[in-house]
Amino acid sequence: MTTIQKRFGLLGRNINYSFSRGYFTEKFEKENLEGYTYENFDIPTIASFLDVIKNNDHLSGMNVTIPYKEEVIPFLDKLSKKAQKIGAVNTIKFTKKGKLKGYNTDYYGFQKSLEPLLESHHKKALILGTGGASKGVAFALEELGIEYQFVSRQANETTLGYNQITDLLFDEYQIIINSTPVGTSPNTAAYPEIPYKFFTKKHIAYDLIYNPAETQFLKKAQLQGAKTKNGLDMLIFQAEKAWTIWNK
C-alpha cells in the first residue's frame, strides 16, 4: 500500500458530481505521482472545515466550491492580493509553516476561456447571480475591460432583478453569464428566468455549469443563434493554476 505523501481535496457541500477529484486523480496517475491523493471533503457547514484539517494529515492544497468560497475566508491566515480584491477563495495552499493561504483561480479560468469568443462589439455583460462564483467572473471582466451588471432574484441599488431584463438591455449587454447553480445535474430541466427570445447571433451565452455539458440556459440561447460556452474549460484552466500555486 502506497503511503500518502501529499493530500489534496475539494471543500464543498453535496459535491459527489465534482469534476476536481476525477481530474486530479487522473493527473496523478498520468504523472506517476505516487502517494498523492485527492478527495472530496463534503461538509454540512463551514464550521466542519476545522475538523477536516485536524483529521487529515499531509494536506497540501484544497479547492473550494459552492457554498463556501466566501465563508471559508475567516478560517484562513492570509489571502493573495487578487483573492482579497475579489472577496472569494477557490484555492487554498497549506504552507510549509502550516499556514493557510487563500487564492482565487476562478477569475483566471473564466478569463482564459472567454477570451477566444470575444469580438469588438462585446463591451458589456450581465452576470446572473451574486454568489462567490460571480465575484471571480466580475474581476475577470474588469481585467478584460468589459463593463458588467449583476442580476439577481432580489433587485437592489447595485443589482437588477430578473424581471427588469428587457430587449433594450439585451441590445446593450451582449454577453450573458450564468454564475448560479440553476440547471446543474440532477436538476437539468431548470434554467434562469430570463427572456431568451432576445438572444441573437451577436450574443455570447456562458454557463459556469459543466454538468450537464449543455444546460437549458445554453440550449435556449443557442436556438436564437447565440455563441455558447459551458464551464469545463474554465475548470481545467483554474485547476491547473491551482496546481501551480500548490507546487510553488
Side-chain angles (χ1 to χ4, degrees):
M1 189 175 163
T2 308
T3 310
I4 292 176
Q5 293 175 22
K6 287 196 173 188
R7 194 190 295 268
F8 302 89
L10 177 69
L11 191 74
R13 190 164 69 217
N14 302 327
I15 49 175
N16 288 338
Y17 66 87
S18 158
F19 156 91
S20 302
R21 183 167 61 178
Y23 181 80
F24 280 107
T25 301
E26 195 177 313
K27 183 180 179 68
F28 298 159
E29 283 169 10
K30 273 185 193 165
E31 298 183 16
N32 294 318
L33 295 169
E34 286 190 25
Y36 281 51
T37 69
Y38 193 102
E39 53 212 90
N40 285 349
F41 298 114
D42 201 316
I43 57 173
T45 69
I46 194 62
S48 303
F49 178 50
L50 296 174
D51 295 327
V52 170
I53 296 168
K54 194 169 72 180
N55 299 327
N56 293 278
D57 50 9
H58 306 295
L59 280 168
S60 296
M62 270 189 204
N63 297 118
V64 185
T65 189
I66 293 169
Y68 301 129
K69 293 184 183 194
E70 295 158 293
E71 288 183 31
V72 78
I73 290 174
F75 293 83
L76 306 178
D77 299 299
K78 198 176 177 186
L79 295 182
S80 72
K81 283 178 186 171
K82 284 182 177 173
Q84 201 160 14
K85 198 170 176 187
I86 292 165
V89 161
N90 77 311
T91 300
I92 300 169
K93 179 174 181 166
F94 291 70
T95 69
K96 285 173 183 170
K97 292 179 180 175
K99 300 289 186 186
L100 274 61
K101 185 170 180 181
Y103 295 82
N104 189 299
T105 66
D106 274 341
Y107 90 89
Y108 170 84
F110 174 74
Q111 186 174 329
K112 204 163 161 57
S113 60
L114 177 68
E115 271 181 299
L117 305 178
L118 295 174
E119 294 178 55
S120 57
H121 64 275
H122 292 128
K123 305 279 191 206
K124 292 186 175 186
L126 291 179
I127 305 173
L128 311 181
T130 54
S134 73
K135 294 186 169 185
V137 167
F139 186 82
L141 293 172
E142 280 176 29
E143 298 269 289
L144 291 165
I146 294 170
E147 288 180 47
Y148 59 85
Q149 170 66 58
F150 287 110
V151 184
S152 185
R153 282 175 300 213
Q154 297 293 324
N156 59 38
E157 288 169 10
T158 58
T159 307
L160 292 176
Y162 282 97
N163 59 348
Q164 293 174 281
I165 299 178
T166 62
D167 56 337
L168 292 174
L169 208 64
F170 256 81
D171 280 347
E172 191 181 351
Y173 292 85
Q174 297 192 333
I175 308 168
I176 318 290
I177 302 146
N178 178 31
S179 78
T180 78
V182 176
T184 309
S185 181
N187 302 314
T188 55
Y191 51 86
E193 298 286 343
I194 62 170
Y196 291 89
K197 64 184 177 184
F198 298 137
F199 273 105
T200 68
K201 62 184 181 188
K202 287 190 170 181
H203 285 84
I204 296 169
Y206 190 114
D207 203 328
L208 268 60
I209 294 167
Y210 60 93
N211 182 16
E214 190 178 40
T215 57
Q216 291 298 321
F217 169 77
L218 293 181
K219 280 180 186 170
K220 288 172 176 291
Q222 194 172 40
L223 281 173
Q224 304 301 319
K227 273 194 228 175
T228 60
K229 179 85 175 166
N230 71 18
L232 185 60
D233 283 349
M234 172 183 171
L235 267 173
I236 293 167
F237 288 135
Q238 69 82 19
E240 286 300 325
K241 187 76 168 171
W243 180 244
T244 302
I245 288 166
W246 294 334
N247 290 285
K248 267 200 293 198

